[in-house]
Amino acid sequence: MIYNFSAGPAALPAPVLRQAAEELPDWHGTGMSVMEMSHRGRDFIGIAESAEASLRDLMDVPDDYRVLFLQGGATGQFAAIPMNLAQADGAADYVITGMWGKRAHGEGSKYLDRVNVAAIASPSTYVPPETHWQLTPDADYVHITLNETIQGVRFDHVPSVAAPIVADVSSMILSEPINVSDFGVLYAGAQKNIGPSGLVVVIVREDLLGRARASTPQVWNWLENAKSGSMINTPPTFGWYIAGLVFRWVADQGGVPAMAETNRRKAAKLYDAIDQSGFYANPVAPASRSLMNVPFTVAQPDLESVFVAEARSAGLVNLEGHRAVGGMRASIYNAMPEAGVDALIDFMKEFESRHG
Amino acid sequence: MIYNFSAGPAALPAPVLRQAAEELPDWHGTGMSVMEMSHRGRDFIGIAESAEASLRDLMDVPDDYRVLFLQGGATGQFAAIPMNLAQADGAADYVITGMWGKRAHGEGSKYLDRVNVAAIASPSTYVPPETHWQLTPDADYVHITLNETIQGVRFDHVPSVAAPIVADVSSMILSEPINVSDFGVLYAGAQKNIGPSGLVVVIVREDLLGRARASTPQVWNWLENAKSGSMINTPPTFGWYIAGLVFRWVADQGGVPAMAETNRRKAAKLYDAIDQSGFYANPVAPASRSLMNVPFTVAQPDLESVFVAEARSAGLVNLEGHRAVGGMRASIYNAMPEAGVDALIDFMKEFESRHG
């Protein structure tokens, strides 16, 4: 028994993996693996539509939003967003609260003449207050990262701006309620709270479709994908299927509000353990702390590799911080049971008692 | 027991599916599914490197070629190819022998001022002779589709042209030997002879790296991916793993030459059955007939849906032709056992005896 704190690809719910293993060679008596099904056949269309319906239900997605299942990850969407929402002479505002926002901005800069950093948190330990944002009056969109996976910085409310908000929700989708209609576009790489890597979900308001510039690659053209049921080309069928199983598992747990209650409790006890220790530290402003990704350091930096190695031996794996920032990081997505967080806290106390 | 003639996603080798199912919940005692592994962790890096090594071995890929594992399918590469190989004022020649070449050309036209159709087969039933190609003297590349999945048209030799040849080998990779050094770039969507959909393999000669225009999306920049081991962002880890299992299975069968021998025998007996019937027909010139995709019609078009339905009842599934061309199509990739082709031929004879 291990607990996997990987930031992504990340732990999946055990019942989902059991079902996937059972069904892998022969899905529902068809004699075929889901991997072997034509994406245009009745069986896979059923799997795909049912996954979308579950997600819409879980997130209460309004009827005037389309849900797309695409390839290329969130990093692909960093390019697809400006292409789909603005012409080359358009403008966009980026609020940067960590490394993914920075990368979204960097990629966006390749496709827009005017890409403005409306605000940047430096160091990435807080969300800059909206009153200080310097917004472009005619921006085609404002990009934010609702939860920064690397620095563990989270927006605790949706900002109020005139332009449509485009939000990267990769590491927090389905972990707490999101009011979809506050946003123009939500997008999420699957490999944290949805399923395996290789799938990115895009939720886009219909009135924002049809703005794509002519040079948008067909596989990322949101309108064309909305029209074709995300089947401009062969979609990542197996990932889409696993996503459907995860969505049903979330529903079985009581849906997103129930997940959020557990997630808040998990995060609170981990931050408490860090704050009360004097040995561990998390640098993020309390109001901006992530519920999903908890980076932390130890008083003596040379103990970090010892911590990671001893934790691994204790069955607590993938606790290394991102190579860009170092330290440790515990990603505690939906699939991480509360018992895993308890085990980590126990280990931290025990480690401190020996090394502190 | 069924035989799945889907053009893609397509049948996978049974031993691969069995191993994947067994290993799905816990890979090699790690306590983790491959889907749950960090792509930067030792376990997955091992899986990824071993898959690449197997493919290099199977295809005898020269050292000065890089192998990339990307997302977005061949259709994504239709856009990535001009972006990586030419500036906007560059030129490319396309030889079009079916629908995929046409789509590659259409997408390429969005990114190059000069996109020339050097030759087009109309109808798509043959490969236009090279002596008739009208090539652009300063073309950055010549694009061909070595095997057209929909029309079943195959190049029986590699053309001799001055510019680097970029070839879509989606539906024939690993089915017969390819002399990699005849090409500048080979690319293949995985969902036919490699593994599940959501993965595209790109094999590119090193001297062609570094030509990408500034506006190339990072996830498709071949040079950046070559430098980062295809980990600019999170790769489709599970598909990459399955690809590795398939590569090992091909090696176990005796490698590509052994597969080719079986494939030639499978295709020959199916074409013979068609040609000798007077009831079934395949319109492709004999020298250009695909070893992998065999489209055919019946004398009375209203019998086609009857054929497909009765075949399905007999356990021979996914024999519908592509919706763009109608008729029937049997895709007989590596994973289709010779017994499956025999069963199809038996069914065809029996169907003819009842309806002919």
Side-chain angles (χ1 to χ4, degrees):
Chain A
M1 178 67 190
I2 60 125
Y3 291 112
N4 175 10
F5 294 90
S6 174
L12 288 166
V16 166
L17 292 176
R18 274 196 299 273
Q19 186 176 348
E22 269 165 37
E23 294 181 345
L24 193 136
D26 180 3
W27 185 84
H28 294 196
T30 55
M32 269 185 268
S33 174
V34 172
M35 282 186 249
E36 300 177 296
M37 289 178 183
S38 167
H39 55 299
R40 302 199 187 276
R42 200 166 27 185
D43 291 325
F44 185 74
I45 295 284
I47 288 170
E49 288 180 349
S50 143
E52 180 181 336
S54 300
L55 180 61
R56 296 190 83 102
D57 205 43
L58 285 171
M59 292 185 69
D60 211 359
V61 176
D63 287 344
D64 61 333
Y65 282 74
R66 303 299 294 265
V67 179
L68 312 177
F69 292 79
L70 306 179
Q71 295 183 55
T75 305
Q77 293 304 307
F78 294 168
I81 288 160
M83 292 174 177
N84 274 280
L85 292 178
Q87 299 303 307
D89 62 354
D93 289 319
Y94 283 76
V95 176
I96 299 176
T97 52
M99 196 164 114
W100 293 109
K102 201 166 184 171
R103 283 188 61 177
H105 169 263
E107 195 72 353
S109 303
K110 287 156 58 171
Y111 306 103
L112 283 172
D113 291 344
R114 293 177 294 143
V115 174
N116 170 50
V117 176
I120 182 165
S122 184
S124 303
T125 51
Y126 64 100
V127 175
E130 282 152 67
T131 46
H132 293 251
W133 294 8
Q134 298 187 311
L135 297 165
T136 309
D138 65 337
D140 290 295
Y141 62 89
V142 177
H143 183 279
I144 63 177
T145 311
L146 266 198
N147 182 72
E148 278 285 354
T149 319
I150 294 174
Q151 284 88 359
V153 174
R154 164 182 174 270
F155 276 78
D156 69 348
H157 69 281
V158 181
S160 173
V161 297
I165 300 178
V166 177
D168 180 350
V169 294
S170 296
S171 49
M172 59 77 73
I173 192 169
L174 299 177
S175 72
E176 57 176 311
I178 297 175
N179 186 21
V180 174
S181 56
D182 289 342
F183 300 87
V185 181
L186 294 165
Y187 67 105
Q191 67 274 14
K192 288 120 181 359
N193 263 333
I194 292 180
S197 59
L199 172 72
V200 56
V201 173
V202 179
I203 303 174
V204 53
R205 209 171 61 211
E206 271 176 354
D207 68 303
L208 297 174
L209 295 172
R211 301 186 183 191
R213 63 184 75 175
S215 61
T216 307
Q218 211 181 12
V219 299
W220 287 338
N221 184 303
W222 295 340
L223 176 61
E224 288 190 47
N225 275 290
K227 281 184 186 165
S228 67
S230 302
M231 295 204 189
I232 281 291
N233 67 334
T234 315
T237 51
F238 193 73
W240 195 333
Y241 151 75
I242 298 285
L245 299 185
V246 171
F247 298 153
R248 243 173 298 165
W249 175 82
V250 173
D252 290 346
Q253 308 309 300
V256 176
M259 298 279 16
E261 198 185 315
T262 309
N263 286 329
R264 288 196 197 98
R265 201 167 55 233
K266 281 153 56 185
K269 60 169 83 163
L270 183 50
Y271 285 114
D272 279 352
I274 291 167
D275 291 343
Q276 287 163 14
S277 72
F279 183 72
Y280 302 104
N282 168 286
V284 180
S288 302
R289 281 175 165 181
S290 170
L291 302 178
M292 294 287 102
N293 311 98
V294 182
F296 58 97
T297 51
V298 289
Q300 300 113 289
D302 55 322
L303 280 178
E304 288 175 354
S305 58
V306 182
F307 181 96
V308 168
E310 291 190 4
R312 190 187 300 125
S313 302
L316 309 168
V317 305
N318 289 324
L319 281 162
E320 305 85 339
H322 189 275
R323 65 215 151 98
V325 298
M328 276 85 69
R329 174 177 47 167
S331 293
I332 50 176
Y333 299 119
N334 285 348
M336 173 59 64
E338 194 163 351
V341 176
D342 292 338
L344 173 60
I345 292 170
D346 288 347
F347 173 81
M348 289 167 73
K349 287 185 178 155
E350 188 266 337
F351 185 86
E352 181 181 355
S353 74
R354 283 187 291 116
H355 296 280
Chain B
M1 178 68 190
I2 60 125
Y3 290 113
N4 176 9
F5 293 90
S6 174
L12 288 166
V16 165
L17 292 176
R18 276 197 298 273
Q19 185 176 348
E22 268 165 37
E23 294 181 347
L24 193 136
D26 180 3
W27 185 83
H28 295 196
T30 55
M32 270 185 267
S33 174
V34 172
M35 283 186 249
E36 301 177 295
M37 289 177 183
S38 168
H39 55 299
R40 301 198 187 278
R42 200 168 26 187
D43 291 325
F44 185 73
I45 296 283
I47 288 170
E49 288 181 349
S50 143
E52 180 181 336
S54 300
L55 180 62
R56 297 190 82 101
D57 206 41
L58 285 171
M59 293 185 68
D60 210 359
V61 177
D63 287 345
D64 61 333
Y65 282 74
R66 303 299 295 265
V67 179
L68 312 177
F69 292 81
L70 306 180
Q71 295 183 55
T75 306
Q77 293 305 306
F78 293 168
I81 287 160
M83 292 174 176
N84 274 280
L85 291 179
Q87 299 303 308
D89 62 355
D93 289 320
Y94 283 75
V95 176
I96 299 177
T97 52
M99 196 164 115
W100 292 110
K102 200 167 186 172
R103 283 187 61 176
H105 169 263
E107 195 73 353
S109 304
K110 287 156 60 170
Y111 306 103
L112 283 171
D113 291 344
R114 292 178 295 143
V115 175
N116 171 48
V117 177
I120 181 164
S122 184
S124 303
T125 51
Y126 63 100
V127 176
E130 282 152 68
T131 47
H132 292 252
W133 294 8
Q134 298 187 311
L135 296 166
T136 309
D138 64 338
D140 290 294
Y141 62 90
V142 177
H143 183 279
I144 62 177
T145 311
L146 265 199
N147 181 72
E148 278 285 354
T149 319
I150 293 173
Q151 284 87 359
V153 174
R154 163 183 175 269
F155 277 77
D156 69 349
H157 69 281
V158 181
S160 172
V161 297
I165 300 179
V166 176
D168 180 350
V169 293
S170 296
S171 48
M172 58 76 73
I173 192 169
L174 299 177
S175 71
E176 58 176 310
I178 297 174
N179 186 20
V180 175
S181 55
D182 288 342
F183 299 88
V185 181
L186 294 165
Y187 67 105
Q191 67 275 13
K192 288 120 181 1
N193 263 333
I194 293 179
S197 59
L199 173 71
V200 56
V201 173
V202 179
I203 303 174
V204 53
R205 208 172 63 212
E206 271 175 355
D207 68 302
L208 297 174
L209 295 172
R211 301 186 182 190
R213 63 184 75 175
S215 61
T216 307
Q218 210 182 13
V219 299
W220 287 337
N221 184 303
W222 295 340
L223 177 60
E224 288 190 46
N225 275 290
K227 281 184 186 165
S228 68
S230 303
M231 294 202 190
I232 281 291
N233 67 333
T234 315
T237 51
F238 193 73
W240 196 333
Y241 151 75
I242 297 285
L245 299 185
V246 171
F247 298 153
R248 242 174 298 165
W249 175 82
V250 173
D252 290 346
Q253 308 310 299
V256 176
M259 299 279 14
E261 198 185 315
T262 310
N263 287 329
R264 288 196 198 98
R265 202 166 55 232
K266 281 154 56 184
K269 60 168 84 164
L270 184 50
Y271 285 114
D272 279 352
I274 291 168
D275 291 343
Q276 287 163 14
S277 73
F279 182 73
Y280 302 104
N282 168 285
V284 180
S288 301
R289 282 176 165 179
S290 172
L291 302 179
M292 294 286 102
N293 310 100
V294 182
F296 58 97
T297 52
V298 289
Q300 299 113 292
D302 55 321
L303 280 178
E304 288 175 355
S305 59
V306 182
F307 181 96
V308 169
E310 291 190 4
R312 189 187 301 125
S313 302
L316 308 168
V317 305
N318 288 323
L319 280 163
E320 304 86 339
H322 189 276
R323 66 216 150 97
V325 298
M328 276 84 70
R329 174 176 48 167
S331 293
I332 50 175
Y333 298 119
N334 285 349
M336 173 59 65
E338 194 163 351
V341 176
D342 292 338
L344 173 59
I345 292 170
D346 288 346
F347 173 80
M348 288 167 74
K349 288 184 178 156
E350 188 265 337
F351 185 85
E352 181 182 355
S353 75
R354 282 187 292 116
H355 298 278

